[in-house]
Amino acid sequence: MLAGCTPVVSAGGEHRPGGEANLRLPDLASAQFFGVVDGRTLLILGLLISLAGMAFGLSTVMGLRKLPVHQAMREVSELIFTTCQAYLRQQGKFLLLLWAFTGTVIFVYFTFLVGSGLGQVLVILAFSLLGMAGSYGIAWFGIRVNTFANSRTAFAALRGRPYEVHRIPLRAGMSIGTLLISLELFMLLSILLVLPGDIAGSCFIGFAIGESLGASALRIAGGIFTKIADIGSDLMKIAFKIKEDDARNPGVIADCTGDNAGDSVGPSADGFETYGVTSVALVTFIMLAVTPAVVGPDLVPGLQATLLTWLFFVSAVMIVTSLLSYVISSAITRRLYDDAEDIDFERPLTQLVWITSLLSIAATFVVSFALIRDLGDGTVWWKMAAIMSCGTLAGALIPELVKVFTSVKSRHVQEVVKSSHRGGASLNILSGLVAGNFSGLWLGMAIVGLMTSAYFISLTSLGALMVAPGVFAFGLVAFGFLAMGPVTIAVDSYGPVTDNAQSIYELSTIEDLPDINGEIERDYGFGVAWDRAKTLLEQNDGAGNTFKATAKPVLIGTAVVGATTMIFSIMMGLTDGLTANVDRLSLLYAPFLLGLITGGAIIHWFAGASIQAVTTGSFRAVEFIASHIELEGAAKASEADSKRVVEICTQYAQRGMLNIFLGIFFATLAFAFFDPFFFIGYLISIAIVGLYQAIFMANAGGAWDNAKKIVEVDLGAKGTDVHDASVVGDTVGDPYKDTSSVALNPVIKFTTLFGLLAVELAVSLRASELHTVVAVLAALSFAAAVVFMWRSFYRMRIDAPDITPAQVQGDHNLTPEVLG
């Protein structure tokens, strides 16, 4: 059956049009190691490691489920899970609609324009659906884990001891991170080991497009949803002077759902896609850059197989080092803090990240020496290990730099607090903008420094093995970023659990239950420390905020560095292996320069469109909550009102996401059809401008978020003017850090991946002398892109009567009357 899926080749043996989908992977058995083991055998071992990683992730969930929790808290977490389920089901239907749209384009392209056999086209479509299903499934798993862990964390805090309050969220995060990376590796290795090499290229490209589609939609929609709910809930604190997560506020359940939709679903799908797309980019590079002209025709298959085996076996070993690091770090943390009264919640997380980075670097050198020490001139093994280690080091160094601008102990965050004291919301916002902009400098320099080191190392020996070794070095840096993937995802997933745990404590109204002290002492064997519990949960939430912030630049950095490798594969096709039209990759070629300018414009449109969706949705949420909140005579908001807020969030998340996604989709087609070299400039621009826009927005938002936490926890100033100012700053930062910045990662990768097909389509049509057809398609696609970009504002504006002077005369503050 699979034989019918193989691509048709010309009589001369050259691939017909179809680009990377027609790459033929080498027989992995041709790579020999230790004289007795071939590449296929080693990767089967990698497959077993990935299965063991998935088993660890699943078993950890079962352990979390068995942890003690009071019924009042469990009921709230299950209600959150129920609303998350409803949201995800709706998103699943929406994803299928987007997949049908994208799949139709892929089907028409490969069937009618490329001339692929029906079998190959169906394989591409099937694996694109599998990739999307992987992103979607991981999102479900992440929500289930977090909604087990959030109530257990809240209950553990009642003991008044910090160790369990830290251990449970981290345990949940490691479950998600390990399963995510293990499942991704399992799927990639299955393609390599099970399917014929003739169709593996089709499977990889289809799988990567599906992952990017799923992650883009879930990231964008999740980011919009969570910030509508968060802002709608937060503004009630100012309007009605109520406490954080007041159970009478109908927006709080939506906020908790949003914590998972934005901070669990989004990062899980994003991390899954990032790992897969970066791997596919490197596979594509190896197949295109290791050429007969460089190493000779007889050595190409064996060298390609050796590099692929090394790459994926290192990936498998990194799962082992991450789990080993978790065990070591947990043992150290237990010894130091098991009976401690106080803990710096950031310290054990920092410790875990650094242990993982150092162990992963050591393992990279050991595996490289064992597998490729005879490659090239004998120095290639340590040079490639050093290049990859630049990325692994970045996975630990970048979080340290992020903490300089977002941690509760950061001087920048302290500056935001001081500004709020005398300057209110205005200076609060300005100080946050300063933190975000400064962070772009230092994180940018760190990334450039590590990439530069990798580039210079690549110049020494790798040129004898492949074309453009510097680009391969950048791809390895991106792969090194992901080497400690389970831990990166774990510390990111720590945040939504700690955030929800604090909310569950309040929403359960457990303090008001009759004879609750006696019940807990009788049934669970400890006395409750109520005030201490609330303090611990708030402090832990601050650490969660910090480490949510640290993961964002790691993922966006990976996207940009990985996109560089993908863009290279487009360049290789357009320049016939860098032998023709190289002059068009220059600022002297006007279309290339115009593409660089256009990319920046699209990034800024995207930021505005995503925030506009949050703004309009928040307006509607605030309008509904303010008119339905009952502060007298009600202990909790009604379930119907809470669900209505969730519906508002879902509605505007999907409307905003549809306009944004289709705008990006048609812009990609239009620019690829207009001029391939214009499109390369465009891809480079959205990667670079997107990198700094994302870093700036993510870290400014993180600074505002933790400034509010300092006011609430360290200063105990809830309900004061300083607190009001910090809440306003936080609501500005919410869509900055959790909507626009984080969604740029999958957007960049989807544009690059889909651009591979779009450029190939344009070149094929031009080669067939169909220049008019290309021009018409470019114009129609551009018109469609403009329509959806126009809709992203003019169909998402706040639809309400204009405010009259009488409504605001004498009171310019946010009050219940104005809100209502």
Side-chain angles (χ1 to χ4, degrees), residues 324-569:
L324 181 60
S325 300
Y326 171 62
V327 171
I328 294 172
S329 181
S330 296
I332 294 172
T333 303
R334 175 183 285 274
R335 182 174 180 180
L336 293 176
Y337 301 113
D338 193 13
D339 297 319
E341 293 292 333
D342 291 295
I343 182 175
D344 177 353
F345 285 106
E346 290 185 10
R347 182 169 294 178
L349 298 175
T350 301
Q351 169 186 285
L352 172 61
V353 168
W354 276 104
I355 290 174
T356 308
S357 180
L358 296 175
L359 272 182
S360 297
I361 290 172
T364 301
F365 277 90
V366 170
V367 171
S368 299
F369 176 77
L371 298 185
I372 58 172
R373 63 179 178 272
D374 297 326
L375 207 61
D377 61 2
T379 66
V380 168
W381 71 270
W382 68 260
K383 292 174 180 176
M384 289 176 65
I387 291 170
M388 186 179 289
S389 296
C390 287
T392 309
L393 180 61
L397 181 60
I398 287 177
E400 291 300 314
L401 292 174
V402 170
K403 285 192 289 184
V404 170
F405 302 96
T406 63
S407 170
V408 291
K409 293 173 287 190
S410 159
R411 284 188 289 178
H412 280 278
V413 176
Q414 295 286 347
E415 180 83 358
V416 176
V417 175
K418 293 175 184 177
S419 297
S420 306
H421 179 59
R422 290 297 182 189
S426 177
L427 293 188
N428 172 288
I429 292 169
L430 289 174
S431 294
L433 294 175
V434 169
N437 280 301
F438 267 97
S439 72
L441 168 67
W442 299 113
L443 269 73
M445 289 297 99
I447 293 172
V448 168
L450 291 167
M451 290 179 68
T452 302
S453 300
Y455 170 72
F456 280 119
I457 295 172
S458 72
L459 295 180
T460 57
S461 298
L462 301 190
L465 302 179
M466 62 191 68
V467 176
V471 178
F472 183 58
F474 295 158
L476 286 183
V477 170
F479 206 75
F481 266 94
L482 299 170
M484 45 194 290
V487 168
T488 299
I489 298 298
V491 297
D492 187 36
S493 297
Y494 190 93
V497 175
T498 60
D499 200 347
N500 267 193
Q502 187 178 0
S503 300
I504 285 172
Y505 180 95
E506 299 289 353
L507 290 170
S508 67
T509 61
I510 190 170
E511 290 182 75
D512 300 327
L513 297 179
D515 193 32
I516 185 62
N517 288 287
E519 179 189 343
I520 291 179
E521 189 159 6
R522 181 178 62 252
D523 294 344
Y524 299 99
F526 65 88
V528 181
W530 297 110
D531 292 337
R532 179 66 177 155
K534 286 185 279 190
T535 299
L536 289 174
L537 290 173
E538 289 181 326
Q539 289 174 344
N540 203 22
D541 187 27
N545 290 338
T546 300
F547 276 85
K548 278 191 298 184
T550 64
K552 293 180 177 73
V554 172
L555 290 175
I556 188 64
T558 305
V560 171
V561 179
T564 303
T565 313
M566 278 287 186
I567 294 168
F568 169 79
S569 66

Side-chain angles (χ1 to χ4, degrees), residues 581-619:
N581 296 321
V582 179
D583 59 311
R584 297 189 176 187
L585 298 172
S586 164
L587 295 179
L588 299 177
Y589 185 63
F592 180 79
L593 175 60
L594 293 172
L596 291 173
I597 298 171
T598 305
I602 294 298
I603 290 296
H604 284 276
W605 159 74
F606 172 83
S610 53
I611 293 177
Q612 177 63 44
V614 172
T615 302
T616 306
S618 298
F619 181 90

